[in-house]
């Protein structure tokens, strides 16, 4: 979502890169277009390299892409994307918020949104290793961790949401009449899961992080990200040591299962409360530095640019913000004269949710929703509210979250050109019939 145009075939040149990875076999003869991607995946299930290739073949030609079934329309995503669960947005898949209605506090992996800059690499844990390197190791040589070594370290398990910085971006246009660039997510660029893994802190201490280290930069093993002809390299973004040594996890399980391919198998970073980009998937290496680090993801993307911000943009965005969402399609029809149980979710990256208010008359009157879960840091709460519409015609349903630090959703979000961190109350249109 960093840029509206992406080269979905982006991949690296065969440079003398010290870090082993599985690459796109781009010079293979073309496979029969009659063979669809699902057949291919089935056929090649036992061969990870070939499956990786298959994952890149979702849309070999525009004609084939047009003919593809909607469930297969996201190039580079491995898992099935049934249209009732997902809306495809370029290389990404947004969870339909309505589909969360039947799920609990943890989003099942098959419902979890996917945000890919390029495409999912199908890696294997036996070939995988993590390299920790850089000037922040006090002169020590790079240290490698195998998957087995990582799994032998003490583990922790915790619930955290992963939410894209662009979640809600579409409402800058539809609700505020403003132009922004990037993937037009509605509110489904978020999911919550139980992550199990090792503390980044433990890995950094094993590697011998020195007291002069200031920044730590995890990097993914997926293809280099090329946008508008510019190669930005592999997805990476620095974390200050304070955050890296605090609550960051190198996760290998999601909801009690090994990570799915699309969510970072075999190991991903989880950075609680920060924008999803920081939670680097398919982790390959971590640079530890005694001088500050940057990447295109902290200089060009994931900063606020626009009239309200300095000419060079704001500081890099770190934390996510506060939101609420209804588990109801935008534009849903509801019968007049009967009671409806409205359901939704509320979350804040800054503090546990305190309360949620609902307005069914466009914001004139508000009443409290009932919270169904104990609010916790870095998670979300489910809520319900009752509505008995009497008059037919269009209506707007509003839900407004307030957290325990006193943050509440504003009526309008200050514009930024890339449409990050939309936090305003969403005016959810419905039709009473
Ligand atoms: N290596 C790598 N890590 C990545 C990305 C990516 O494209 N490549 N996308 C990031 C972004 S922008 C988000 S919002 C989250 C999405 O995580 P998910 O796909 O598991 O939902 O992963 C982040 N980690
Ligand atoms: Mo994101």
């Amino acid at each position: 979502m960093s840029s509206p145009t992406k080269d979905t075939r982006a991949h690296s040149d065969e440079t003398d890169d010290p870090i082993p990875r599985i690459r796109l076999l781009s010079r293979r003869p073309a496979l029969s277009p009659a063979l669809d991607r699902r057949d291919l995946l089935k056929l090649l299930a036992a061969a990870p390299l070939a499956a990786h290739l298959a994952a890149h073949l979702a849309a070999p030609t525009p004609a084939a892409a047009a003919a593809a079934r909607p469930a297969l329309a996201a190039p580079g995503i491995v898992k099935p994307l049934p249209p009732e669960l997902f809306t495809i947005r370029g290389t990404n898949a947004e969870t339909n918020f309505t589909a969360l209605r039947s799920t609990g506090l943890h989003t099942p992996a098959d419902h979890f949104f996917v945000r890919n800059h390029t495409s999912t690499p199908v890696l294997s844990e036996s070939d995988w290793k993590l390299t920790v390197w850089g000037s922040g190791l006090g002169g020590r040589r790079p240290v490698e961790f195998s998957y087995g070594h990582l799994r032998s370290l003490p583990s922790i398990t915790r619930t955290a949401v992963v939410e894209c910085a662009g979640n809600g971006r579409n409402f800058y246009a539809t609700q505020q009449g403003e132009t922004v660039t990037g993937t037009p997510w509605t509110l489904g660029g978020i999911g919550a899961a139980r992550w199990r893994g090792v503390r980044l802190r433990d890995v950094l201490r094993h590697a011998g992080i020195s007291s002069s280290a200031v920044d730590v930069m995890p990097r993914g093993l997926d293809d280099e990200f090329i946008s508008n002809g510019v190669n930005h390299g592999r997805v990476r973004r620095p974390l200050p040591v304070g955050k890296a040594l605090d609550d960051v996890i190198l996760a290998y399980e999601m909801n009690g299962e090994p990570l799915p391919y699309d969510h970072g198998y075999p190991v991903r970073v989880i950075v609680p409360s920060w924008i999803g980009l920081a939670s680097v998937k398919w982790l390959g290496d971590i640079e530890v530095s005694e001088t500050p680090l940057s990447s295109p993801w902290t200089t060009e993307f994931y900063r606020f640019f626009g009239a309200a911000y300095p000419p060079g943009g704001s500081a890099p965005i770190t934390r996510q913000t506060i939101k609420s969402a209804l588990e109801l399609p935008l534009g849903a029809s509801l019968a007049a004269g009967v009671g409806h149980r409205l359901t939704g979710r509320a979350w804040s990256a800054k503090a546990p949710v305190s309360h949620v208010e609902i307005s069914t008359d466009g914001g004139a009157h508000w009443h409290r929703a009932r919270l169904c879960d104990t609010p916790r840091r870095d998670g979300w709460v489910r809520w319900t509210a009752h509505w008995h519409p009497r008059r037919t015609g269009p209506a707007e349903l509003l839900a407004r979250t307030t957290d325990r630090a006193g943050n509440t959703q504003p009526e309008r979000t200050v514009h930024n050109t890339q449409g990050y961190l939309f936090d305003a109350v969403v005016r959810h249109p419905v039709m009473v019939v």
Side-chain angles (χ1 to χ4, degrees):
M1 36 136 283
S2 322
S3 160
T5 45
K6 278 181 205 78
D7 181 351
T8 58
R9 308 283 167 78
H11 62 277
S12 59
D13 296 321
E14 301 290 329
T15 54
D16 56 347
D17 183 335
I19 295 162
R21 54 194 295 260
I22 293 171
R23 292 175 191 281
L24 167 61
L25 306 176
S26 55
R27 280 170 217 95
R28 279 286 177 84
L31 284 140
S32 161
L35 206 61
D36 83 16
R37 180 167 157 269
R38 182 170 290 172
D39 295 338
L40 254 173
L41 285 173
K42 234 184 279 163
L43 203 68
L44 305 172
L49 262 169
H52 180 67
L53 170 65
H56 285 78
L57 292 176
T61 64
R69 283 168 287 161
L72 299 176
I77 296 180
V78 172
K79 72 182 177 185
L81 301 169
E84 60 283 10
L85 299 189
F86 294 102
T87 300
I88 309 302
R89 304 195 186 280
T91 54
N92 315 295
E94 173 170 356
T95 303
N96 296 333
F97 223 91
T98 313
L100 294 175
R101 202 171 169 141
S102 59
T103 68
L105 266 187
H106 297 120
T107 311
D110 63 359
H111 284 55
F112 209 98
F113 85 104
V114 180
R115 191 321 190 208
N116 278 355
H117 281 74
T118 62
S119 55
T120 295
V122 176
L123 304 176
S124 99
E125 64 190 46
S126 51
D127 300 339
W128 181 88
K129 68 178 180 186
L130 167 66
T131 307
V132 182
W133 59 281
S135 62
L137 297 186
R140 284 185 198 77
R141 296 171 52 79
V143 180
E144 289 180 356
F145 295 81
S146 67
Y147 185 77
H149 183 188
L150 216 63
R151 290 214 69 137
S152 72
L153 298 175
S155 76
I156 66 156
T157 305
R158 61 163 300 174
T159 296
V161 299
V162 172
E163 183 182 11
C164 188
N167 198 26
R169 177 181 284 128
N170 194 40
F171 298 104
Y172 280 102
T174 60
Q175 187 163 299
Q176 302 194 166
E178 292 165 335
T179 303
V180 292
T181 57
T183 303
W185 304 94
T186 56
L187 290 170
I190 183 170
R194 233 171 130 60
W195 307 101
R196 175 161 178 249
V198 302
R199 291 176 206 274
L200 176 55
R201 183 202 299 164
D202 293 345
V203 168
L204 292 174
R205 294 217 169 116
H206 269 269
I209 187 171
S210 85
S211 56
S212 57
V214 297
D215 274 348
V216 163
M217 182 149 71
R219 179 163 58 163
L221 290 166
D222 42 338
D223 290 331
E224 295 177 334
F225 175 56
I226 298 169
S227 173
N228 298 326
V230 179
N231 186 343
H232 297 285
R234 281 191 248 137
V235 172
R236 63 200 186 283
R237 108 140 244 169
L239 301 168
V241 277
K243 182 66 174 173
L245 297 176
D246 179 17
D247 57 356
V248 178
I249 304 174
L250 304 188
Y252 44 72
E253 277 182 17
M254 176 182 188
N255 298 331
E257 304 280 345
L259 291 181
Y261 290 132
D262 296 308
H263 298 291
Y265 178 83
V267 177
R268 80 175 297 170
V269 183
I270 290 293
V271 184
S273 83
W274 280 34
I275 56 172
L277 185 268
S279 293
V280 168
K281 302 191 279 189
W282 313 295
L283 179 63
D285 71 294
I286 302 177
E287 178 177 1
V288 183
S289 175
E290 53 181 15
T291 54
L293 296 173
S294 69
S295 87
W297 288 269
T298 54
T299 56
E300 266 190 63
F301 315 124
Y302 301 99
R303 276 179 191 250
F304 297 123
F305 294 97
Y309 297 99
S314 70
I317 301 172
T318 57
R319 242 181 230 261
Q320 252 295 352
T321 184
I322 184 168
K323 288 190 188 71
S324 41
L326 280 132
E327 294 166 340
L328 194 67
L330 292 162
S333 288
L334 296 169
V338 295
H340 296 278
R341 188 171 159 266
L342 303 176
T343 68
R345 289 166 195 251
W347 61 97
S348 168
K350 296 167 179 168
V353 167
S354 137
H355 57 273
V356 177
E357 297 156 291
I358 307 297
S359 172
T360 56
D361 58 6
H365 301 90
W366 295 86
H367 56 274
R368 288 213 178 181
R370 189 174 73 80
L371 302 189
C372 313
D373 303 294
T374 306
R376 291 182 204 287
R377 221 165 223 297
D378 307 322
W380 53 12
V381 288
R382 292 169 292 181
W383 54 260
T384 65
H386 183 79
W387 185 36
H388 194 115
R390 284 163 221 286
R391 246 179 297 137
T392 58
E396 283 180 335
L397 304 179
L398 280 60
R400 179 170 67 197
T401 302
T402 300
D403 71 21
R404 287 196 197 143
N407 301 295
T408 193
Q409 294 185 256
E411 262 179 55
R412 227 187 138 84
T413 304
V414 175
H415 175 259
N416 67 87
T417 59
Q418 295 176 106
Y420 296 126
L421 302 200
F422 188 87
D423 63 350
V425 173
V426 169
R427 308 179 74 91
H428 189 120
V430 294
M431 185 60 75
V432 181
V433 292

